[in-house]
Amino acid sequence: MNIEQKKDYLLLLCENQLDTNSVVEFKKTLLEKLDFAKPIHFEASTVTKIDTVGIQFLLFICSQAEKKKITWHWENVSPTLTNIATLLGAHRLLKLPETKLSSESS
Amino acid sequence: MPVDYNQLLDTYIEETLENLADIDDALLSMDIDAPDPEQINKIFRSVHTIKGNSAIFKFQSMSTLMHGIETFLDKIRSSMLSLKKTHVDYLLKVSDSTRKILDDLKKKKPLDETLVSQLSDALQDILKRESSIREVSQKETNKSTPAQGFKITIHPQKDIFKRNLDPLGAFAMLHEEASFKATVMIDPLSELDMKDYDPLACYLSWEIELQGEISKEHILEILTWVFEEHDIVLSPIPTIDIKTPIEIQKKSVPAVPSPPLPTTASPTTLRISTDKIDSVMNAVGELFIIESMFKQTIKKFDPKTSSQLDETLDLLEKNTRYLQDSIMRIRMVPISFAINRFPRMVFEIASKTEKLVDFVIQGEQTEIDKTMIEKLTDPLLHLIRNAIDHGIEAPKVREKEGKNKTGSLQFISKQEGDNILIEIKDDGAGIDPEKIRSIAISKGLLAEDIKLSETKLYGFIFKPGFSTSEKVTEYSGRGVGLDVVEKNIRALGGAIQIESKIGVGTTFRIKLPLTLAIMDCQLLRVKKQTYIIPLLSILEMAQITAKNTIDENGKKYYKYHDQKINLIYLSSIFNREAPPMDIINLFVVVVQTTGGASALVCDELLVQQPIVIKNLAWKVPGTVGGTIMGDGSIGLILDVQEIVEIGSKTYDEQQFQSEGIFSRRLFQNEGSYPIESIQPIQPIQNKREATETTEKDETEATTENEYLCFSLSRSEYAINMIWVQEVIFSKNPTILPFSPPYLLGIINLRGNIIPLVDLRIFFGIEPCPTKKGITIIANIEKEGIIRVVGLVVDAIIDTQIIKKLDIGPIPKSGHLILRHYIQGLVYINQRIITLLQIQNILKDPSELTEAT
């Protein structure tokens, strides 16, 4: 996971893995850089592995942004992410489309 | 730190008993035709907790049984089963059997697997029977459809991610089994601050709708791979019954979240061992004594300088009181702990005796000391049993007498000041005082010409073996019990009284102190000794005047309201003196006993103060214990019931009794047998025969111990140093009434009350002419408790290391019982030392005779 400071927004790049290991590894640096001063854009087109810890992390960032009245939206989302978010019932809160569930998981 | 399994097991037993009580309570108040959903939920919660706790202790069979019962209850609350009386009976049986199992566990016995297995089988039978009935019913009507699915709520444990558990797999499996729709809830997550966020903590919870034909068991099987079962709540999506939709809706019980296990619950309460609280309470007790000592010391000061000290002392008193109250409150539990089984018992006894009883409990939240609760349950249970069995009449009899055919039985408890008042009140047949009178006469307890008040006649009911019942039943009527009830209540520092009216009913009234640890008492003086009476037992105190006494045929009585009551002279009881001729200006303390009021005569009334009760190593008749006074002396706390019983006898009878109670048969029946008469026939070393010994014998024989050698008269004795605590110069003891001659009295040793045994007198050696001596403070075990006893000897000689090998046998010529006090004889440097078996000193000679 990476953060790119853009002029008007913050781009949050989700790499192919958004699971427990990556969340634990990047939590500190990510949260330090996340000052919630600008809108957040998520780029998650390459995510192929995600688990509940990863979804919870996204939910946390989104809820913090909302608490601080910062807007956020998705630029690109991988099917894996939408599937898992739907299976966990997190799609509405993450503002992701509800998908017809397949048996695919992490 | 290692886990104390036994302590945890005690907590498990205690919690399970509490849950069983809740189950009983809910079952007994359940309307079988229209069960209250909340009551079923209450039972479910209790069963669930027992299940979880049993699993923690690896009582797998118990946990499985409770799981089965949960399933069964779930069927009831989801209207898949309708509640029947057989179901209630089964659950009551489970409750009883579980209590038996817990009782076994308490006694360190293993869990009774057979009993658990029988209960599981019985449950399976019920479920099979119900299932076949349902199948038939469904085939017949063909109008109802199976459950359409479940609504599931999951509140996971916070650490599931740390345990590498992910709900995804389980959700995916459920999705394959049925139509699956989850909604995540993030309430705790959105409230978190950045710095508090732990990625490995689970802040999520879920609500899931599962549509389709899937069983609850299967859902749980899948979900429990990830979640704890108690974190999952399943409620069926109601089945649509074409015929009676409204009825089903009404019967459906909304599922409630199960309480989390204690291990994960946030600690709003804390279980503390009563031992720990007791030790703090003891420390507070000591504070009272110190405070009292201060007061005594201040009296010796110049009043000008002591006024400021007085103020400080008042502050200390106030704070000590506050501390005592606060700690006492910790020990207090609602009386419902003692009585929660009663409704169940009333139900059973009433059913078996074919009586109709309306049992009402009032004041179940009245709080009382936990240690008292444990001792109170049985006496109360007995009174309840008696009330149903003997008090309340059969319905037909009641109808004939114009009463409601349902009898009323009330249990009322309340706090009044520092006392707890308990009433057990029935509207039954009442007790006929004339019947008691004639039984008392026939048993030789009462002379025919003596007339007694009703209160005094009722007092006979508490005599051992006294029963007015003409028939013996399973529950009562053998005359065994009410004497024990009275004795137990008295042991708790309380009193019991009866009020009864023929045809109207009977009330047993019990008055108890809030706690046994510290009691408010009145101090009084008889000769030079201070005695103490708990305020709870006192009705009135006064100085004796000509106006408040009556002289009848040379015998004096005290006028208490309109009654003429006996005067009991404490100096006659404790100092073996004849009643004084002139009693004017002496003092009376009117006390309450089962036989009514009695007036105890003393020389002076002293102060009222809180008293810390300390046990005496010997049971002294007429007392319940002792306490250390402010000046360091010892006061004896009176057992007013026993004092009145002793005092009611004539002066001559009292003398006879005081001789009889404590005389040791060792000396009385067989005469004095001086220990000095036991002498070795020849030096021990020469006497020992050479024998082949095993290696073990050799090790034992070479074991050596240090002995403390002392003299009694002209002979030397020794006791093993392991029992010796210290050696002090002998102090003047407080004399104990009715004590055997060798028990010199009791002394205060740094706040502990210690009995002094004169070993000369004990062993039948002539008393020491100088009366001076040395006291060996020794630890002696009696009834499993180590007691500290002072052994008065003439002088300490030295200590000696003695090998077991060197201990010679006791000469066979010795006195049979006396030999039990002797370990053996040793010959060292021309000295013959008798080694004493000091542990037998406190034993009753009869125990030693039996052992022989």
Side-chain angles (χ1 to χ4, degrees), chain A residues 20 23-24 27 31 34 36 50-53 56-57 59-60 63-64 67-68 84 86-93 98 101-103 105-106, chain B residues 161 164 166-169 171-172 175-176 180-186 189-204 206:
Chain A
T20 307
V23 171
V24 172
K27 176 231 166 184
L31 295 183
L34 266 175
F36 296 101
I50 185 164
D51 61 10
T52 311
V53 173
Q56 179 176 267
F57 190 56
L59 285 166
F60 177 62
S63 70
Q64 289 294 312
K67 215 156 87 174
K68 290 176 179 160
I84 299 299
T86 306
L87 187 63
L88 289 172
H91 54 285
R92 278 198 196 94
L93 291 173
E98 183 176 7
L101 284 173
S102 71
S103 57
S105 67
S106 62
Chain B
F161 299 149
N164 285 322
D166 195 319
L168 269 176
F171 287 4
H175 167 247
E176 280 175 12
F180 176 92
K181 195 175 178 184
T183 308
V184 74
M185 288 169 290
I186 59 157
L189 191 72
S190 54
E191 283 160 21
L192 274 182
D193 279 337
M194 294 282 278
K195 61 178 184 342
D196 298 324
Y197 177 70
D198 173 7
L200 291 183
C202 179
Y203 303 103
L204 309 176
W206 283 274

Side-chain angles (χ1 to χ4, degrees), chain A residues 3-71:
Chain A
I3 293 179
E4 278 181 29
Q5 291 280 354
K6 301 284 180 188
K7 192 186 169 192
D8 299 322
Y9 62 90
L10 207 71
L11 183 66
L12 215 150
L13 289 161
C14 301
E15 290 166 2
N16 58 346
Q17 287 190 11
L18 187 55
D19 60 1
T20 307
N21 290 338
S22 58
V23 171
V24 172
E25 198 181 331
F26 296 117
K27 176 231 166 184
K28 205 181 160 203
T29 48
L30 276 173
L31 295 183
E32 270 170 11
K33 288 180 190 171
L34 266 175
D35 54 3
F36 296 101
K38 295 176 192 168
I40 299 168
H41 290 199
F42 289 99
E43 166 53 58
S45 57
T46 60
V47 174
T48 52
K49 191 176 180 191
I50 185 164
D51 61 10
T52 311
V53 173
I55 293 287
Q56 179 176 267
F57 190 56
L58 292 176
L59 285 166
F60 177 62
I61 294 170
C62 296
S63 70
Q64 289 294 312
E66 280 191 355
K67 215 156 87 174
K68 290 176 179 160
K69 300 198 166 39
I70 299 294
T71 56

Side-chain angles (χ1 to χ4, degrees), chain B residues 830-844:
Chain B
Q830 307 298 314
R831 289 160 66 184
I832 298 164
I833 303 168
T834 307
L835 304 184
L836 295 179
Q837 191 74 277
I838 213 70
Q839 292 303 311
N840 282 343
I841 291 260
L842 289 187
K843 283 188 183 153
D844 191 283

Side-chain angles (χ1 to χ4, degrees), chain B residues 685-722:
Chain B
Q685 281 156 327
N686 302 340
K687 199 172 180 255
R688 191 169 188 87
E689 289 175 12
T691 50
E692 279 186 18
T693 53
T694 63
E695 202 173 309
K696 190 186 165 201
D697 287 340
E698 268 176 17
T699 319
E700 275 190 10
T702 51
T703 307
E704 52 185 34
N705 283 298
E706 192 179 10
Y707 282 78
L708 178 69
C709 304
F710 57 88
S711 64
L712 287 176
S713 187
R714 295 176 305 280
S715 304
E716 279 190 41
Y717 302 85
I719 60 172
N720 195 323
M721 279 292 278
I722 58 165

Side-chain angles (χ1 to χ4, degrees), chain B residues 223-290:
Chain B
L223 289 176
T224 49
W225 282 103
V226 181
F227 306 109
E228 302 287 333
E229 200 173 326
H230 56 262
D231 296 330
I232 308 163
V233 179
L234 275 105
S235 46
I237 295 169
T239 307
I240 302 160
D241 186 324
I242 297 163
K243 199 178 179 183
T244 54
I246 297 162
E247 268 178 33
I248 286 173
Q249 285 296 330
K250 200 169 68 183
K251 278 189 178 181
S252 287
V253 180
V256 290
S258 305
L261 282 177
T263 46
T264 54
S266 59
T268 50
T269 58
L270 181 64
R271 277 179 188 270
I272 304 171
S273 128
T274 40
D275 291 349
K276 287 181 188 168
I277 298 170
D278 285 348
S279 70
V280 181
M281 196 68 170
N282 285 341
V284 175
E286 298 301 325
L287 263 180
F288 272 114
I289 292 169
I290 295 165

